[in-house]
């Protein structure tokens, strides 16, 4: 009788944890970052809080998002939205494969890392479909808590 | 006492249903199709069984997949994989915006509807990143049960 109550409690706990995790996981997520492409905003091993609730049409320039890489579906990339559909992008030509103005196509976004010299992003692979973007970074929680506003829009966005 | 047992049983049933649905939903799904772009293979209101378990590297030419549209992240499209990364695509020039040979980039697939005259697909929007592809059609269950083999590869794939 005691054993069966223990099993029962264990199943209840596991079941509740699974349900809670599933509901939570469809809305927010903790992510650990690696790589230099978003320095100094995000450093290696920083931990952030991301959310999956914002609909695509509410994304703004300056938002930091996590997306599936267009070159490799097994990896996730974290970059800043510099332009939305219809937005114009210009390149100074020093590192990009193109020099003229480009317009971001419908349903796409233009992403760039904050660390311009050390980031593979839309300057190399072009604007990516919004369907690849999964979530938006709300705040960093490590090394210290920082709420990330969208007001830090880099100078070269259009 | 009787009422509390009924609540208990209801919670158990709901909890188990939620868990079961979540586990199932991450592997297979029932989909209802609309639109003419995959006729005659798939007709309006056909119902199919799709699976989400096959890893990207196991996709084959001829597989019918469901993907998020690259032009509009709110809609899902159902098309056939005609070419994988590295494959060459040629166009007869009659309906496509390009005439030369193209190579499918790394991490991308080339999709086309079976109903060539009535499908918006990679001939218009180009190869799409695999990250947009969600699941693979296993079988139709309505109007009648049909297992979909990948042997029905249209003639003009490379």
């Amino acid at each position: 009788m005691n054993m069966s109550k223990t099993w029962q409690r264990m199943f209840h706990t596991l079941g509740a944890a699974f349900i809670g995790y599933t509901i939570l996981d469809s809305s927010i997520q903790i992510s650990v970052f690696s790589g230099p492409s978003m320095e100094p905003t995000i450093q290696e091993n920083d931990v952030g809080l991301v959310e999956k609730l914002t609909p695509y049409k509410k994304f703004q320039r300056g938002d930091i998002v996590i997306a599936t890489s267009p070159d490799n579906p097994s990896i996730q990339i974290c970059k800043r939205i510099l332009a939305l559909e219809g937005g114009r992008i210009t390149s100074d030509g020093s590192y990009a494969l193109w020099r003229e103005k480009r317009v971001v196509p419908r349903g796409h976004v233009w992403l760039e890392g904050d660390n311009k010299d050390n980031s593979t992003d839309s300057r190399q692979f072009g604007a990516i479909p919004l369907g690849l973007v999964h979530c938006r970074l709300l705040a960093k929680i490590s090394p210290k808590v920082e709420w990330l506003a969208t007001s830090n829009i880099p100078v070269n966005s259009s």
Side-chain angles (χ1 to χ4, degrees), chain A residues 8-26:
Chain A
Q8 218 182 58
R9 292 223 169 104
M10 191 148 68
F11 280 131
H12 283 165
T13 310
L14 284 177
F18 182 94
I19 291 172
Y21 170 77
T22 301
I23 292 174
L24 254 184
D25 189 60
S26 52

Side-chain angles (χ1 to χ4, degrees), chain A residues 38-75:
Chain A
M38 281 296 292
E39 286 173 1
T41 315
I42 300 175
Q43 318 263 353
E44 177 96 11
N45 292 328
D46 280 357
V47 178
L49 185 69
V50 299
E51 59 90 2
K52 306 181 185 184
L53 298 171
T54 301
Y56 288 128
K57 56 176 69 73
K58 294 264 171 76
F59 282 153
Q60 297 180 334
R61 289 161 46 223
D63 283 348
I64 299 173
V65 296
I66 296 178
T68 302
S69 164
D71 292 332
N72 184 348
S74 320
I75 68 175

